[in-house]
Amino acid sequence: MRASLIAIVLALLGAGCATTSIRGDLDRIETISGQALPPDVLDQVDPVGDARVREILRAPLDADDAVRLAIANHRELRAALRELGIERGRVLQAGLLPNPEIEIDLRSQDDPEQPLQVELYAEFELTHALLTPMRVDVASRELDAARFRAAGRVIETAYLARAAFYDAQAAEQRLAVAVRALDALAAARDTATMLFDAGNVPELDVATQIAAYEEARAVTAELELARAGSRERLHRVLGLHGDATEWSIAAPLDDVPEESAIPEALERDAIESSTELAETRMRLEAIAGRVGLSRTEGWLPDVTVDVHAEQDGQTWEMGGGASIELPIFDRNEGTTAAYEAEFDALMERYEGTAIDIRSAARDACNRLASAHLRAKQYEGVIVPARARVFRQTLLQYNAMQVGVFELVTALRAQLSAELSAIDALREYWTARAALEALLRGRRVSGAVVSSSTGIGADQGSAGGH
């Protein structure tokens, strides 16, 4: 009994020392997410005037820089981190002892010779104080759940930054390919016009070259819009605005590696690192704690102790007492049953989430393997083959063996293959980022909104030289 009382007293003292600072919580989030948070992540920030942001943006931007900027500036993430203060405050509040209630009565009599009588009462809710450690334990579990939830947001934000950056890289490359094609078609159009003026080619060849050039201009305009859209999506993730939106891409997308490493125990690793499951476990423990607290409050009498003093003008009378509310009719059966039902429902969702994560792991694996295969196929086979077809068609065109339609069709097919190769690269690196996010603890969709467009290879038809 004595040991129990000492434990309760120590718990009460510990709860009284709780802090509202979430610095320790941020350190825990860094450990869970594997992402470093800026030391001043909760300070006021304005990317336009921040010297460190400007220093990063002065140099060509790469994917790692994009992640750092997103974690420092993304407002939804910053809001999620600040919301830790809500649960931290609830832990502090749960550990506070109830305030004593003091009542003072003053009485005077008609006889002016009689002194003023004073009565003092002080009450303290003893049962509420004894259950304080249980309330602190419940609030601490909910704080742990909030930490895992915030860590998941950090991982998701890092993924979004990488995916948006890869999309912006791909948009830059697609536009560069289109501009190169436009220059080639412009030269071909001018050459055909001069040959036509000299009477060396029929009017059909000139019309075909002009049509191909104008169609390429339309496609280039679409790709310029797609590039602008991808940059704006990245700006939203990075929290950039104003002058801070003037930056350049460091380099084109990297080539895919020869082998795409995938962990053998992918599903198990995804389950063990999942912040969603960890958050749900903490919420289950919190609800279990609420069930225990509700049951205890149900059978434990609500005891209020009091001391009182009365002064009759000459002497003081001291005394004490207690009031007890017996749990005869209301033993919190309804509240306890509600918490038990909430626990059962959350347990079902926990099992469902585990199944979804296993499925997401397999899906991420399939997506990565497919993207790797397609990227390698375009890089090593399709693009070189289309380039060879164009070169041979050009030779035959110069030898007057094929018409201009065949030449334009071969050029379109080559450009389409190059654009598709860029899309395959983007999909590979996006799938890689999604798998890494999953293994760090957060499911992401793996899909990136991209308005890629291409120069159709099926346009045009055969014609004569």
Side-chain angles (χ1 to χ4, degrees):
M1 181 66 182
R2 183 179 179 183
S4 301
L5 290 176
I6 292 175
I8 292 173
V9 171
L10 291 176
L12 293 175
L13 292 175
C17 297
T19 175
T20 57
S21 173
I22 62 172
R23 186 63 254 179
D25 302 319
L26 298 180
D27 294 339
R28 176 66 176 144
I29 288 173
E30 286 184 333
T31 302
I32 296 172
S33 66
Q35 293 285 346
L37 300 176
D40 54 352
V41 66
L42 297 182
D43 293 346
Q44 294 296 325
V45 62
D46 182 3
V48 176
D50 193 301
R52 290 174 303 173
V53 173
R54 287 193 166 278
E55 183 179 355
I56 293 175
L57 295 177
R58 270 197 294 270
L61 197 66
D62 61 24
D64 292 336
D65 290 335
V67 171
R68 283 196 293 272
L69 289 173
I71 291 177
N73 299 319
H74 195 268
R75 296 296 174 172
E76 280 298 324
L77 175 60
R78 292 169 61 84
L81 295 178
R82 288 184 180 278
E83 285 174 351
L84 286 170
I86 298 174
E87 300 301 335
R88 174 58 67 181
R90 287 173 178 163
V91 172
L92 176 62
Q93 185 63 39
L96 299 179
L97 295 176
N99 293 321
E101 184 176 339
I102 297 177
E103 180 181 348
I104 302 175
D105 290 340
L106 301 176
R107 294 197 301 271
S108 63
Q109 301 183 22
D110 294 338
D111 185 357
E113 298 295 331
Q114 296 297 322
L116 181 68
Q117 295 184 345
V118 180
E119 291 185 9
L120 299 176
Y121 293 89
E123 294 183 347
F124 184 74
E125 297 178 3
L126 182 60
T127 302
H128 184 95
L130 293 176
L131 295 180
T132 296
M134 297 183 71
R135 295 191 182 89
V136 172
D137 184 67
V138 170
S140 298
R141 295 291 182 271
E142 292 176 343
L143 175 60
D144 287 337
R147 288 171 177 161
F148 282 107
R149 185 164 56 249
R153 293 300 299 271
V154 172
I155 298 170
E156 182 181 21
T157 301
Y159 162 76
L160 291 175
R162 287 191 181 277
F165 181 80
Y166 295 145
D167 189 46
Q169 273 186 308
E172 294 276 357
Q173 287 182 250
R174 286 195 297 268
L175 181 60
V177 169
V179 170
R180 192 184 70 218
L182 188 63
D183 293 341
L185 289 170
R189 177 204 58 186
D190 296 342
T191 301
T193 301
M194 288 188 293
L195 292 174
F196 172 73
D197 293 340
N200 294 329
V201 296
E203 184 176 358
L204 178 60
D205 285 7
V206 179
T208 302
Q209 295 285 7
I210 293 175
Y213 171 76
E214 296 300 332
E215 289 171 357
R217 284 186 61 187
V219 171
T220 303
E222 292 180 23
L223 290 175
E224 287 176 344
L225 178 61
R227 171 182 174 274
S230 67
R231 287 177 68 93
E232 290 306 320
R233 283 193 291 275
L234 185 56
H235 291 158
R236 289 193 288 272
V237 176
L238 304 188
L240 301 180
H241 63 92
D243 296 340
T245 58
E246 301 298 328
W247 48 267
S248 59
I249 293 284
L253 288 162
D254 292 335
D255 294 336
V256 296
E258 289 299 324
E259 300 292 337
S260 186
I262 296 175
E264 294 183 0
L266 178 61
E267 293 184 33
R268 185 196 63 193
D269 293 348
I271 290 290
E272 290 179 350
S273 62
S274 172
T275 57
E276 291 178 84
L277 292 178
E279 177 196 348
T280 308
R281 284 196 297 272
M282 292 300 103
R283 290 174 59 197
L284 285 169
E285 291 184 11
I287 296 174
R290 290 190 181 280
V291 171
L293 178 61
S294 178
R295 286 175 176 167
T296 304
E297 288 176 335
W299 64 260
L300 190 65
D302 190 1
V303 178
T304 302
V305 295
D306 67 85
V307 294
H308 61 269
E310 181 176 355
Q311 199 267 349
D312 61 1
Q314 295 180 351
T315 60
W316 279 93
E317 293 182 0
M318 304 291 292
S323 64
I324 302 175
E325 180 182 325
L326 296 179
I328 298 176
F329 303 109
D330 179 3
R331 293 194 292 274
N332 275 353
E333 293 95 335
T335 302
T336 302
Y339 284 136
E340 289 174 342
E342 185 179 353
F343 182 92
D344 294 340
L346 189 57
M347 179 59 77
E348 294 288 349
R349 293 190 174 92
Y350 178 85
E351 299 293 342
T353 302
I355 293 172
D356 291 347
I357 290 174
R358 289 181 181 277
S359 174
R362 295 191 296 270
D363 185 59
C365 177
N366 296 335
R367 189 187 298 271
L368 183 64
S370 174
H372 182 265
L373 177 63
R374 284 182 284 116
K376 294 297 292 183
Q377 186 74 3
Y378 273 106
E379 177 188 6
V381 179
I382 298 177
V383 172
R386 285 297 182 187
R388 185 180 179 187
V389 168
F390 176 71
R391 288 196 301 272
Q392 293 300 316
T393 305
L394 181 59
L395 289 175
Q396 294 191 21
Y397 174 78
N398 292 335
M400 303 183 69
Q401 297 299 310
V402 298
V404 69
F405 288 112
E406 286 83 353
L407 181 64
V408 172
T409 300
L411 177 59
R412 284 172 175 160
Q414 180 187 352
L415 298 176
S416 179
E418 291 185 26
L419 295 176
S420 296
I422 294 170
D423 286 338
L425 273 180
R426 175 185 58 83
E427 291 172 10
Y428 170 79
W429 288 113
T430 302
R432 167 59 63 185
L435 181 63
E436 291 175 353
L438 179 67
L439 293 176
R440 283 191 173 185
R442 182 72 171 190
R443 274 185 301 165
V444 294
S445 67
V448 175
V449 176
S450 177
S451 54
S452 63
T453 184
I455 300 175
D458 56 349
Q459 298 180 27
S461 58
H465 191 284

